[in-house]
Amino acid sequence: MSKFLPPESFAATGAYDLLPFNFTRLEGDSYLATNMVGESLIVDRSTLDDLVNKRLAPSHPSYTDARAKHLIAEKGDKASAELLALKTRTRYQRLQNFTNLHMFVTTLRCDHSCQYCQVSRQSEDKGAFDMTLEMADKSLDMVFRSPSKAVKIEFQGGEPLLNFDLIRYIVSKAKVRAAAEGRDLEIVIATTLSLATTEILEYCRDNHILLSVSLDGPSDLHNKNRPRPGKDSYQRFVANLQAAREIVGYDRVSALMTTTLASLPRVREIVDEYVGLGFEGIFLRALSPYGFAVKTRVYAAYDTEQWLKFYKDGLQYIIELNQAGIPFREYYTTLILQKMFTCADPGFVDLMNPAGIGIAAVVFNYDGSVYASDESRMLAEMKDQTFRLGSVLENTYEEIFLNEKLLSTLEESFTLSAPMCSECAFEPFCGADPVFSHAVYGDVVGRKPASDFCKRNMAIFRHLIQLMREDREVEALFRRWSALC
Amino acid sequence: MLERVISFDPAAYSLETIQRAAYRYIDKFSIGFNVKEASIDCILQFDKEVDDLDGVIQDFRKEVLDQHLRARIAKETESIRHLILAHAFSRTGLV
């Protein structure tokens, strides 16, 4: 007798149970069905009806897919539920690590005066806008209370290089503590590069510090978006980018852009600028509805529809570049694709559930205040202290991270129970952004049908799915993007 | 303000199902309910001029049908959903 069962033993019987899944209409008669971890299937309405009403025959082309994607499990099949549980565990594994990203606002001072910037001051007053050594020490104490084995410290501003002595101080202390506790430490400085000197860059090289730099596009656009004395922001950027790559390392420098009204008709030029300067991708970001961007009416200068057009045009151009043999990625798309094609969560704070505020990222502000996210401190600059969790000078770790506002916000915005999100097939690709909802609608859940966050992300999900359905080459390209780290 | 009344058979659809469907249209119309033995009457009041009013109502009817199907899936998979989540988090120390 063979120790293996014959093939017939594994044949589909047609008797099945449903596993948890959601579905959402795409267009016309097409529906997207996704399980708890985002594995998906596109079916027509009658197939969906048959699937739910257990009339789908094993000979139907979608039957095998529905089994493989864990939308159904044959009677007696225990493996499907166990596999789904394993994948669910993988999806949420970041939760047990708690806070990973710790942002230190070393100063609010900045040499730029960008219209859209949420947080910067044109001031020489170090006492008023710089973090002190005592605040830095107490913030570090908080960082090393996190149970996460991997700790990331990101220096933000203002322009953090204006308080570089404090960066040196924090880096040296953090390295000692990380080594003593066996933690992996990653350090990033978010900078315009305008004030980067050889000495600073050599320090970054010697301490394995990554640089996240700002580039908004071609010279005239960048200088318009990012005014500074001398009107030479772009020229300084290009010169210092070259120096940074030579000294710190070519792959140790990444760039971020901000989309203003002036950027909208120029997405292809912006992408060309990134390609020309040797970057491997771009993050097409919309402005956040916070701080000076709202105060100076820059945020209202364009709406979601306009931004979506900008994004879609840019993505189309990037696809064309790839088809012409120039490898280049759009990073927001890549994050979503990772959620679509894998069970791993890339950990992007705006697309996490539970929301990433506090439990994935936290901000130690220049004045000792602790905020639940970068957006929370931007909101505070508009006199809205809703997401101020406390102060490193006055509060304990427990008081800050068990802050009632933080906990209730995480609970209320949880997408598996939030109205509309809980039944949305895009939910596994999406996330909760309660600070955005609070800033725009005044409550942390918001009205989903009218939400710009929802509108923007649903439009992107639909667009990506449509692109892949229309062109198998695009799907192959997107799968390659999602597989890259 | 434009007003339309559409009715559903309570033997086919629950009030909750219709309410869930209506939530998705709160940016287009507000809604009131008149629940009777033989029908659930929905009074739709459109907030502003809608280009394709009949199209929106048709979409709403389809959404009610979708919600009905969703309710079936949710009900049937409730226990397995809890089991999967419990199994997924069993070793994390979070629950």
Side-chain angles (χ1 to χ4, degrees), chain A residues 221 260-270 309-310 313:
Chain A
L221 179 61
T260 63
L261 187 62
S263 317
L264 291 182
R266 304 182 63 178
V267 67
R268 292 181 180 230
E269 290 175 69
I270 295 168
K309 184 177 180 309
F310 168 85
D313 190 20

Side-chain angles (χ1 to χ4, degrees), chain A residues 94-130:
Chain A
R94 284 179 182 275
L95 282 179
Q96 61 184 324
N97 296 329
F98 210 57
T99 318
N100 161 253
L101 173 60
H102 301 83
M103 287 170 268
F104 280 65
V105 181
T106 52
T107 179
L108 276 198
R109 291 182 294 125
C110 189
D111 59 325
H112 284 72
S113 52
C114 310
Q115 263 200 321
Y116 54 77
C117 180
Q118 291 87 349
V119 281
S120 69
R121 294 290 184 279
Q122 296 293 303
S123 171
E124 297 301 315
D125 189 351
K126 294 184 180 183
F129 298 114
D130 283 15

Side-chain angles (χ1 to χ4, degrees), chain A residues 18-21 23 25 31 36 45 49 52-54 81 84-85 88-89 92 95-96 419-420 423 446-449, chain B residues 20 23-24 26-27 59 62-63 65-67 69-70 72-73 76-77 80-81 84-85 87-92 94:
Chain A
L18 300 180
L19 292 171
F21 71 89
F23 64 87
R25 199 178 341 152
Y31 282 77
M36 297 167 75
R45 176 71 204 199
D49 273 329
V52 176
N53 291 304
K54 302 182 182 175
L84 197 48
T88 305
R89 182 153 65 218
Y92 291 104
L95 282 179
Q96 61 184 324
M420 217 163 103
E423 62 197 37
R447 283 182 166 189
K448 302 297 179 186
Chain B
R20 281 177 175 270
Y23 180 79
R24 291 179 175 245
I26 54 175
D27 58 334
D59 272 353
K62 286 182 184 172
E63 185 58 36
L65 201 60
D66 285 351
Q67 288 295 343
L69 213 52
R70 288 190 182 103
R72 280 203 59 174
I73 300 168
E76 182 169 335
T77 61
I80 187 80
R81 197 166 58 238
I84 289 166
L85 285 172
H87 190 44
F89 288 96
S90 60
R91 288 190 296 163
T92 62
L94 292 169

Side-chain angles (χ1 to χ4, degrees), chain B:
Chain B
M1 186 179 286
L2 289 166
E3 188 173 297
R4 290 287 182 90
V5 178
I6 59 173
S7 300
F8 293 93
D9 181 352
Y13 304 107
S14 70
L15 179 63
E16 187 184 345
T17 293
I18 300 168
Q19 285 171 328
R20 281 177 175 270
Y23 180 79
R24 291 179 175 245
Y25 290 85
I26 54 175
D27 58 334
K28 294 190 171 67
F29 56 74
S30 58
I31 188 165
F33 299 99
N34 189 3
V35 184
K36 295 183 286 198
E37 199 169 317
S39 71
I40 299 173
D41 296 338
C42 305
I43 303 107
L44 313 183
Q45 290 187 323
F46 290 82
D47 302 331
K48 54 191 173 188
E49 287 294 323
V50 177
D51 291 339
D52 182 12
L53 196 132
D54 289 334
V56 173
I57 291 173
Q58 199 178 0
D59 272 353
F60 174 54
R61 285 187 179 280
K62 286 182 184 172
E63 185 58 36
V64 171
L65 201 60
D66 285 351
Q67 288 295 343
H68 181 67
L69 213 52
R70 288 190 182 103
R72 280 203 59 174
I73 300 168
K75 188 178 175 190
E76 182 169 335
T77 61
E78 186 176 7
S79 58
I80 187 80
R81 197 166 58 238
H82 292 159
L83 189 67
I84 289 166
L85 285 172
H87 190 44
F89 288 96
S90 60
R91 288 190 296 163
T92 62
L94 292 169
V95 290

Side-chain angles (χ1 to χ4, degrees), chain A residues 31-285:
Chain A
Y31 282 77
L32 174 78
T34 58
N35 71 4
M36 297 167 75
V37 294
E39 291 173 301
S40 65
L41 188 64
I42 294 173
V43 290
D44 59 34
R45 176 71 204 199
S46 77
T47 303
L48 181 66
D49 273 329
D50 287 345
L51 183 72
V52 176
N53 291 304
K54 302 182 182 175
R55 295 191 301 255
L56 198 67
S59 56
H60 192 285
S62 295
Y63 190 93
T64 308
D65 268 354
R67 277 185 78 189
K69 303 286 175 61
H70 303 313
L71 302 184
I72 59 173
E74 290 233 323
K75 296 275 186 196
D77 168 17
K78 292 179 183 169
S80 290
E82 286 178 12
L83 282 169
L84 197 48
L86 185 63
K87 290 174 181 178
T88 305
R89 182 153 65 218
T90 303
R91 187 170 194 83
Y92 291 104
Q93 66 177 343
R94 284 179 182 275
L95 282 179
Q96 61 184 324
N97 296 329
F98 210 57
T99 318
N100 161 253
L101 173 60
H102 301 83
M103 287 170 268
F104 280 65
V105 181
T106 52
T107 179
L108 276 198
R109 291 182 294 125
C110 189
D111 59 325
H112 284 72
S113 52
C114 310
Q115 263 200 321
Y116 54 77
C117 180
Q118 291 87 349
V119 281
S120 69
R121 294 290 184 279
Q122 296 293 303
S123 171
E124 297 301 315
D125 189 351
K126 294 184 180 183
F129 298 114
D130 283 15
M131 182 182 271
T132 65
L133 293 179
E134 183 191 11
M135 291 172 194
D137 281 333
K138 291 192 180 292
S139 299
L140 277 171
D141 287 343
M142 299 269 176
V143 171
F144 285 92
R145 284 290 304 275
S146 168
S148 179
K149 186 175 185 303
V151 169
K152 183 175 180 178
I153 292 177
E154 182 173 305
F155 294 107
Q156 296 227 2
E159 171 50 63
L161 297 188
L162 280 169
N163 196 4
F164 198 69
D165 284 345
L166 188 72
I167 291 179
R168 287 177 191 269
Y169 178 82
I170 294 169
V171 168
S172 64
K173 287 212 155 189
K175 285 180 73 174
V176 170
R177 293 180 73 157
E181 297 181 18
R183 307 224 203 192
D184 299 325
L185 178 66
E186 182 177 274
I187 300 169
V188 180
I189 301 177
T191 171
T192 62
L193 275 185
S194 62
L195 302 175
T197 61
T198 301
E199 184 193 357
I200 286 174
L201 295 174
E202 285 174 348
Y203 179 84
C204 292
R205 176 197 62 203
D206 296 343
N207 288 278
H208 309 290
I209 295 173
L210 294 159
L211 297 172
S212 175
V213 301
S214 311
L215 173 63
D216 284 356
S219 173
D220 65 308
L221 179 61
H222 184 91
N223 284 338
K224 180 179 164 65
N225 280 355
R226 297 179 178 271
R228 74 177 302 282
K231 299 176 181 173
D232 60 350
S233 182
Y234 177 85
Q235 288 69 25
R236 280 173 172 260
F237 174 83
V238 172
N240 288 337
L241 174 67
Q242 190 177 349
R245 282 172 165 169
E246 284 172 4
I247 296 170
V248 185
Y250 199 93
D251 61 344
R252 307 291 288 171
V253 187
S254 61
L256 271 180
M257 66 152 297
T258 301
T259 308
T260 63
L261 187 62
S263 317
L264 291 182
R266 304 182 63 178
V267 67
R268 292 181 180 230
E269 290 175 69
I270 295 168
V271 171
D272 281 339
E273 186 67 32
Y274 271 69
V275 174
L277 286 172
F279 289 104
E280 293 177 345
I282 190 169
F283 201 136
L284 297 173
R285 294 195 303 167

